[in-house]
Amino acid sequence: MAQILRKIVERLYYKNISLTRNLGNKKSDITVDQLKAARALLGWSQADLAKKSGYSLPAVNNIERGLYKAHDATMEDIVQTFEQNGIQFLDGPGVRLENSGLRIKCYEGRDAFHYLFAKIEASLKDNNQELLICGIDEKLIKDVYGKELSKLQKSLKDNPVRIITYKDFSYAMTFNHFQKRVVDDAKPLLPCFIYAGRVAIVLMENPIHIAILYNEKIAQDYAKYFDFLWKQSR
């Protein structure tokens, strides 16, 4: 089941994405945050990036943690790996999928969920649009971000909410109008929030990284993937 779900996610990401490289960027100007955002955008783990770029997992980890500056040749290889999978590195800095009309906003650290919940509230408050939550450690969110979560729950008192959770996770997040299902034999591949034509991908690392993708088509694809998991869950 996990392999089937992974193939579905890969098709959602790579369908109709141009592989044309953008040679205008100087690789030395690309930041570590852009590398992390690019990886989040493609749904890759550090191990995935290491395998695809031909470098070791410790090397990728050390680069992303800023423990040492990558050599120009190393950065060239890593950036080229991303570009060959449809990533474009922008001045600003930022990243996007080629020809996708995509905007991405990244948050890092303790306040990442504070910003995410504020954006969800602003997008869904006073309307009846649905919020979809997939694969999030609910108990951790409640324990660490209880105040922010409570505010969001009150703001979305009339919004329908559906939650897919891992089998062993506590049922901590509740809303006024919500349904919840548990994944039995496969875990959601990308912990995320789907709302108002946006997808917020959550990487529960230290520090926490959240990448919000502003693209209606990608949000629709994620919602279809969510519905697929929903039907496979109980």
Side-chain angles (χ1 to χ4, degrees), residues 62-163:
N62 288 336
I63 291 171
E64 289 198 355
R65 293 170 62 192
L67 296 184
Y68 68 77
K69 181 176 175 60
H71 296 298
D72 289 344
T74 302
M75 183 62 76
E76 171 71 28
D77 289 340
I78 291 175
V79 169
Q80 181 175 341
T81 299
F82 281 126
E83 290 176 337
Q84 288 175 340
N85 285 275
I87 292 292
Q88 183 180 13
F89 291 88
L90 308 173
D91 293 331
V95 297
R96 70 181 181 189
L97 286 173
E98 295 272 15
N99 302 323
S100 67
L102 175 68
R103 182 166 62 91
I104 179 170
K105 183 69 175 179
C106 298
Y107 299 97
E108 178 181 305
R110 171 63 177 79
D111 290 334
F113 272 104
H114 170 78
Y115 293 119
L116 173 61
F117 287 166
K119 289 187 174 296
I120 292 176
E121 178 183 353
S123 300
L124 298 183
K125 186 178 181 180
D126 300 325
N127 63 51
N128 292 321
Q129 294 186 52
E130 187 176 38
L131 170 63
L132 306 178
I133 303 173
C134 185
I136 302 296
D137 187 337
E138 299 177 63
K139 186 175 186 303
L140 183 149
I141 299 299
K142 185 175 181 180
D143 290 346
V144 179
Y145 301 95
K147 183 177 180 180
E148 293 93 334
L149 178 60
S150 178
K151 184 175 183 295
L152 180 65
Q153 290 166 335
K154 291 178 181 178
S155 298
L156 303 186
K157 64 183 187 305
D158 296 323
N159 294 74
V161 178
R162 282 190 291 160
I163 303 172

Side-chain angles (χ1 to χ4, degrees), residues 37-56:
R39 186 165 60 79
L41 183 56
L42 293 174
W44 291 358
S45 66
Q46 288 186 341
D48 292 330
L49 176 57
K51 180 178 180 180
K52 293 175 184 295
S53 63
Y55 289 91
S56 68

